[in-house]
């Protein structure tokens, strides 16, 4: 894991230098005058609780920095200005200004999407960092969570209280994009997706006014926000159900390429036989420094797992092993998820019904095939995440209760990630990740799995995925809600999945 970290450092250094030496100015013409005018109007309109940052300032770069960049880190990804609203009134004014001027903008939560333009922009970049509260209410057993946080912050605040929410599985991921897309958690087998556990959204609507969205106050928006990302305005706060949380068991095992058959067998057996909703794994096949290997995350929601569940994994000879009874925050930190941040990257996904050994063999073959081939084109890390959720993940909430998933059919949201260094390779990586995904879909179909109607997860899908694949039959209702609340298409000025 060290090498990608070093590469990241080099890329980061290069982009800082790019800012210092003014390489960003190339994009000025393309941005047009509107963005600069809007930035100036915003600077005038906002209170002292908010700030506007201009390029060239190191802080600006830091605050607009993303987990991955497909677009060029040195120029076109740079916004005209970055705005940090400190309260909902200022955020409302900002939205009114960009809407009136028709200025492209972006809303950034944790900045973890890899899709270009989804939370980055050449125009006005809105960074939500200052919405950072975590407030537990013991009478309602709910937690208010600011939209600018990463899950690490939330867990750290809740752990001393002995409670938890249904959130991210690895370190560094943002609360807002994760939640607004669905949210697959370590607790999903027991509690459903993250959106199934949201009771209220604090929302600045596209016209700049504020509203609290609940099932009672506004059932349409409440449903649409559960999967609808940034189509209905900007969320400033989520109110989520809280649950008691004690110590958990698990962590990370890394395994070298000579034991992949054992990993395949253990993973296929786990997926086919384990029905304890407290148990979960992510098997990540990866290709790093010329060789295939596995990062194996194990999780049990309790201090000691029942005998048998994880024995096969623990018996495989390991390269490193960090598995123990530990606080939830410690388990989250055990993942290597920050290692490749800062490089170029893309995610894509294939939803399947079963993880057979045959399917996992095909995944290993993909890992080796594309790993070898794409290393020659500056790939630093490619990975395939096997995520065997139980059907209970989808039965915790009522059918039709959320925009995503469009049906509550059991699906396994397999995640593919390629990361690389050279912009020259952007198109090759895009074509390759799609080809690999299609190949795996064909392998599943050839096994007799009927996956054609399984939806794809918006937080994993690559940017040109048709909306129908994510939202299925819900797209019509999502569009009519959009027309009602955003008749001037203000949110269309921001990138993302657009209704
Ligand atoms: C290392 C890693 C691990 C991951 N693990 C998981 C996992 O376990 N489970 C899972 O379900 N997903 C996982 N993901 C995917 C993750 O859910 C998405 O990357 C998600 O979009 C991250 O949210 P963010 O706030 O960091 O993203 P951002 O890039 O900030 O935002 C993503 C989208 O949401 C919109 N958005 C952000 N904030 C707001 C807001 N306040 N109001 C309206 N729209 C907003 C943005 O405009 C953008 O279109 C992982 C991703 C990575 C990189
Ligand atoms: C990963 O980065 C996030 C910030 O984005 C930070 O909160 C977290 O502590 C980091 N995790 C590790 C293990 O360093
Ligand atoms: C390995 O993967 C490549 C690329 O998808 C494919 O062409 C090839 O047929 C696969 N080989 C096996 C044995 O599955």
């Amino acid at each position: 894991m060290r090498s990608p970290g070093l590469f990241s450092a080099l890329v980061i250094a290069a982009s800082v230098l790019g800012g210092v030496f003014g390489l960003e100015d190339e994009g000025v013409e393309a941005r047009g005058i509107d963005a600069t005018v809007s930035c100036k109007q915003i600077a005038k309109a906002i209170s002292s609780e908010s700030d506007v940052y201009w390029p060239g300032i190191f802080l600006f770069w830091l605050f607009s920095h993303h987990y991955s960049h497909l677009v060029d880190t040195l120029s076109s990804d740079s916004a005209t200005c970055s705005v940090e609203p400190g309260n909902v009134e200022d955020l409302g004014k900002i939205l009114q200004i960009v809407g009136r001027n028709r200025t492209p903008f972006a809303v950034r939560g944790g900045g973890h999407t890899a899709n270009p333009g989804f939370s980055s922009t050449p125009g006005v970049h809105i960074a939500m960092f200052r919405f950072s509260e975590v407030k537990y209410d013991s009478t309602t057993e709910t937690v208010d969570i600011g939209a600018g946080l990463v899950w690490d912050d939330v867990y750290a605040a809740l752990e001393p209280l002995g409670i938890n929410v249904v959130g991210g599985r690895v370190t560094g991921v943002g609360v807002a994009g994760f939640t607004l897309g669905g949210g697959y958690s370590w607790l999903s087998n027991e509690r459903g997706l993250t959106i199934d556990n949201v009771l209220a959204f604090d929302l600045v609507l596209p016209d700049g006014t504020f509203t609290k969205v609940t099932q009672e106050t506004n059932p349409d928006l409440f449903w649409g926000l559960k999967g609808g990302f940034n189509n209905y305005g900007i969320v400033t706060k989520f109110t989520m159900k809280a649950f008691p949380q004690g110590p958990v068991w698990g962590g990370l095992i890394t395994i070298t390429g000579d034991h992949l058959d054992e990993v395949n067998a253990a993973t296929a057996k786990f997926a086919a036989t384990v029905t304890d909703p407290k148990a979960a794994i992510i098997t990540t096949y990866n290709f790093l420094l010329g060789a295939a290997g596995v990062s194996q995350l194990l999780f049990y929601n309790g201090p000691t797992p029942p005998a048998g569940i994880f024995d096969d994994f623990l018996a495989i000879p390991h390269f490193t092993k960090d598995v123990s009874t530990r606080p939830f925050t410690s388990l989250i930190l055990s993942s290597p998820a920050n290692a490749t941040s800062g490089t170029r990257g893309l995610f894509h996904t294939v939803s399947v019904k079963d993880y057979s050994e045959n399917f996992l063999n095909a995944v290993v073959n993909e890992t080796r095939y594309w790993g070898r081939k794409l290393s020659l084109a500056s790939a630093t890390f490619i990975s395939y995440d096997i995520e065997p959720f139980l059907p209970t993940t989808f039965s915790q909430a009522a059918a039709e209760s959320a925009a995503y998933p469009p049906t509550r059919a059991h699906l396994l949201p397999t995640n593919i990630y390629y990361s690389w260094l050279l912009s020259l390779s952007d198109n090759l990586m895009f074509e390759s990740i799609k080809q690999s995904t299609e190949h795996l879909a064909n392998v599943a179909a050839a096994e007799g799995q009927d996956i054609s109607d399984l939806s794809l997860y918006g937080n994993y899908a690559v940017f040109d995925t048709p909306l129908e694949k994510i939202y299925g039959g819900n797209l019509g209702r999502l569009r009519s809600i959009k027309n009602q609340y955003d008749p001037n298409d203000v949110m269309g000025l921001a990138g993302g999945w657009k209704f």
Side-chain angles (χ1 to χ4, degrees):
M1 285 300 138
R2 254 163 235 270
S3 264
L6 177 63
F7 286 130
S8 308
L10 291 175
V11 171
I12 289 166
S15 57
V16 173
L17 289 176
V20 170
F21 292 116
L23 296 179
E24 285 163 4
D25 291 345
E26 275 169 40
V28 164
E29 219 156 313
R31 284 172 208 147
I33 189 141
D34 281 2
T36 310
V37 168
S38 293
C39 291
K40 287 183 178 158
Q41 289 177 357
I42 289 167
K44 258 194 205 144
I46 55 179
S47 74
S48 61
E49 285 180 38
S50 305
D51 279 300
V52 174
Y53 297 98
W54 298 88
I57 299 172
F58 175 68
L59 273 182
F60 164 77
W61 173 83
L62 194 67
F63 290 150
S64 60
H65 160 241
H66 278 69
Y67 184 81
S68 295
H69 306 252
L70 183 63
V71 281
D72 194 331
T73 356
L74 294 184
S75 58
S76 49
D77 198 26
S78 302
T80 302
C81 66
S82 182
V83 188
E84 278 190 35
N87 57 51
V88 292
E89 293 74 26
D90 286 351
L91 179 55
K93 287 177 189 162
I94 295 164
L95 216 38
Q96 283 167 352
I97 290 169
V98 294
R100 198 169 56 229
N101 296 348
R102 305 300 301 169
T103 305
F105 70 99
V107 189
R108 183 206 194 268
H112 260 47
T113 182
N115 284 332
F118 274 42
S119 59
S120 59
T121 179
V124 173
H125 180 262
I126 304 174
M128 297 294 289
F129 299 108
R130 296 188 189 184
F131 294 93
S132 60
E133 83 175 310
V134 182
K135 205 172 94 208
Y136 174 55
D137 182 336
S138 59
T139 57
T140 54
E141 294 183 356
T142 60
V143 188
D144 284 350
I145 301 173
L149 294 169
V150 296
W151 288 107
D152 304 57
D153 304 326
V154 179
Y155 298 143
L158 296 180
E159 192 153 87
L161 309 174
I163 64 151
N164 206 356
V165 290
V166 178
R169 285 176 290 179
V170 303
T171 187
V173 184
V175 167
F178 180 103
T179 302
L180 291 167
Y184 287 87
S185 169
W186 290 123
L187 305 180
S188 287
N189 289 334
E190 295 178 85
R191 311 276 184 194
L193 299 177
T194 297
I195 27 166
D196 301 333
N197 292 280
V198 176
L199 298 169
F201 300 90
D202 281 17
L203 180 71
V204 174
L205 286 158
D207 68 2
T209 59
F210 174 82
T211 184
K212 192 181 254 311
V213 179
T214 67
Q215 175 64 39
E216 288 67 41
T217 62
N218 195 321
D220 270 352
L221 274 179
F222 187 63
W223 175 86
L225 283 167
K226 295 185 187 182
F229 290 99
N230 62 16
N231 280 282
Y232 301 115
I234 303 180
V235 174
T236 56
K237 190 168 90 179
F238 301 90
T239 303
M240 293 189 196
K241 286 183 199 162
F243 305 102
Q245 181 68 62
V248 299
W249 176 94
L252 176 71
I253 304 175
T254 61
I255 300 162
T256 51
D258 42 340
H259 297 290
L260 296 185
D261 288 348
E262 291 141 275
V263 173
N264 294 354
T267 301
K269 185 173 152 198
F270 181 95
T273 62
V274 175
T275 54
D276 184 338
K278 294 182 189 311
I281 61 168
I282 304 176
T283 303
T284 302
Y285 298 92
N286 54 43
F287 195 89
L288 177 70
L289 302 174
V294 164
S295 291
Q296 183 69 57
L297 282 169
L298 306 179
F299 176 83
Y300 194 79
N301 192 9
T304 324
I309 291 184
F310 298 106
D311 290 1
D312 291 354
F313 291 106
L314 297 171
I316 302 170
H318 58 263
F319 179 59
T320 64
K321 184 174 171 204
D322 169 27
V323 173
S324 61
T325 300
R326 63 212 303 175
F328 192 84
T329 49
S330 157
L331 181 114
I332 296 298
L333 287 171
S334 73
S335 58
N338 284 356
T340 51
S341 72
T343 57
R344 310 176 87 75
L346 271 185
F347 291 87
H348 199 22
T349 184
V350 52
S351 293
V352 297
K353 288 189 162 165
D354 292 303
Y355 288 134
S356 65
E357 265 189 82
N358 173 62
F359 183 81
L360 298 177
N361 283 331
V363 170
V364 168
N365 174 56
E366 289 300 288
T367 308
R368 288 212 170 99
Y369 177 87
W370 293 105
R372 284 187 188 129
K373 189 168 163 147
L374 300 178
S375 295
L376 305 173
S378 83
T380 49
F381 183 76
I382 78 167
S383 67
Y384 292 73
D385 283 356
I386 303 303
E387 309 190 8
F389 288 95
L390 289 172
T392 53
T393 289
F394 303 95
S395 59
Q396 304 290 336
E400 313 292 312
S401 64
Y404 172 86
T407 76
R408 293 269 155 182
H410 184 211
L411 65 85
L412 309 172
T414 314
N415 181 240
I416 306 175
Y417 173 55
Y418 291 178
S419 116
W420 68 98
L421 296 176
L422 301 177
S423 57
L424 212 65
S425 303
D426 288 357
N427 205 47
L428 173 67
M429 299 296 166
F430 171 67
E431 295 300 337
S432 302
I433 205 167
K434 296 223 309 184
Q435 217 175 307
S436 183
T437 307
E438 203 178 305
H439 179 78
L440 289 175
N442 290 337
V443 169
E447 280 182 351
Q449 296 193 42
D450 181 9
I451 61 167
S452 53
D453 286 341
L454 295 182
S455 61
L456 299 182
Y457 179 33
N459 264 326
Y460 289 173
V462 78
F463 55 86
D464 75 334
T465 302
L467 290 173
E468 287 76 9
K469 292 298 292 177
I470 301 171
Y471 298 103
N474 285 342
L475 199 51
R477 185 176 172 199
L478 286 165
R479 286 194 167 127
S480 75
I481 299 170
K482 153 87 181 166
N483 292 338
Q484 186 187 342
Y485 287 94
D486 191 13
N488 299 323
D489 196 23
V490 171
M491 297 313 294
L493 297 163
W497 304 115
K498 295 285 107 173
F499 303 150

